[in-house]
Amino acid sequence: MPVVTRIEPRRGAGLLVEIDEERLRPVPRPVAEAFELRAGLELSPARTAALRAEVDRYAARDAALRLLARRPYARAELARRLGRRGLPPEAVEWALARCEALGYLDDSEFAVSYVRDRLRLRPRAPALLRDELRARGVDPATAAAAVEAGLAEAGIAEGDLLRRLATRRARALAGTPDREAARRRLAGWLRRRGFAPGDVRDAVDESLPPAPPRPD
């Protein structure tokens, strides 16, 4: 039978617990009390497995809350981060469900907040915003709805966003001696922000027209 060979307080929260001299993850005190842990306690294999699972769930929950305290996450993105810490999938799923129940994890709210911040700080085309959200694990329908809501909140249509960005960037390039070089730089800048080539071409012509031909 597995035996608790060591149990003692550790720096910070939780207890240091070893079973057959194998150290577990930090064991929260409520878990230790629920399992009535003490040095020399014999645990059945099933009881040992249940203890490990409970400790993993608490570890996943605490890790998730620490990550969410730094910045919002999409559900799938947070699951990947927790999985990279070696936490079992069952513990990760339990932690995500707890965070959702507490209101700390919501893909719709995350997506709208993400779009709002991008449009304010680093504007880009709606198509690129949708791609970025999907890369973070937001489903396509939620991503599309968030982009639409973000544009509506900002009071701007996609075409207006492109023209606004083109005009702003063109002012920064206005002093470039080579007009065609400035136009190429503007076009590349807009394409990198996800706008379609045809739309970019029109915006460049409008905000930074070609230099008039030189007289013969």
Side-chain angles (χ1 to χ4, degrees), residues 61 64-65 68 73-76 78-79 92-109:
R61 185 204 61 181
L65 291 175
L68 288 167
Y73 280 84
R75 194 183 202 279
L78 184 58
V92 170
E93 184 59 34
W94 182 87
L96 296 177
R98 289 295 301 155
C99 290
E100 287 174 329
L102 292 169
Y104 299 146
L105 186 63
D106 184 298
D107 273 10
S108 295
E109 290 186 7

Side-chain angles (χ1 to χ4, degrees), residues 93-212:
E93 184 59 34
W94 182 87
L96 296 177
R98 289 295 301 155
C99 290
E100 287 174 329
L102 292 169
Y104 299 146
L105 186 63
D106 184 298
D107 273 10
S108 295
E109 290 186 7
F110 164 80
V112 170
S113 175
Y114 182 92
V115 171
R116 181 185 298 123
D117 288 346
R118 275 290 193 257
L119 290 175
R120 182 171 57 89
L121 300 173
R122 300 177 64 187
R124 57 206 54 217
L128 184 54
L129 287 170
R130 290 191 291 268
D131 287 346
E132 290 178 348
L133 286 170
R134 288 195 293 267
R136 284 163 172 76
V138 178
D139 69 82
T142 301
V147 171
E148 184 177 347
L151 288 172
E153 182 181 291
I156 188 169
E158 179 173 358
D160 294 333
L161 175 62
L162 172 56
R163 285 190 291 274
R164 181 182 298 180
L165 292 177
T167 300
R168 183 190 306 167
R169 188 64 176 177
R171 283 198 295 266
L173 295 169
T176 304
D178 187 334
R179 176 59 66 95
E180 285 307 308
R183 283 167 53 82
R184 288 194 298 272
R185 289 170 62 184
L186 175 58
W189 189 84
L190 292 170
R191 284 195 298 268
R192 288 192 297 274
R193 275 144 189 81
F195 294 102
D199 295 334
V200 166
R201 185 169 52 251
D202 293 341
V204 170
D205 286 341
E206 180 180 328
S207 58
L208 199 62

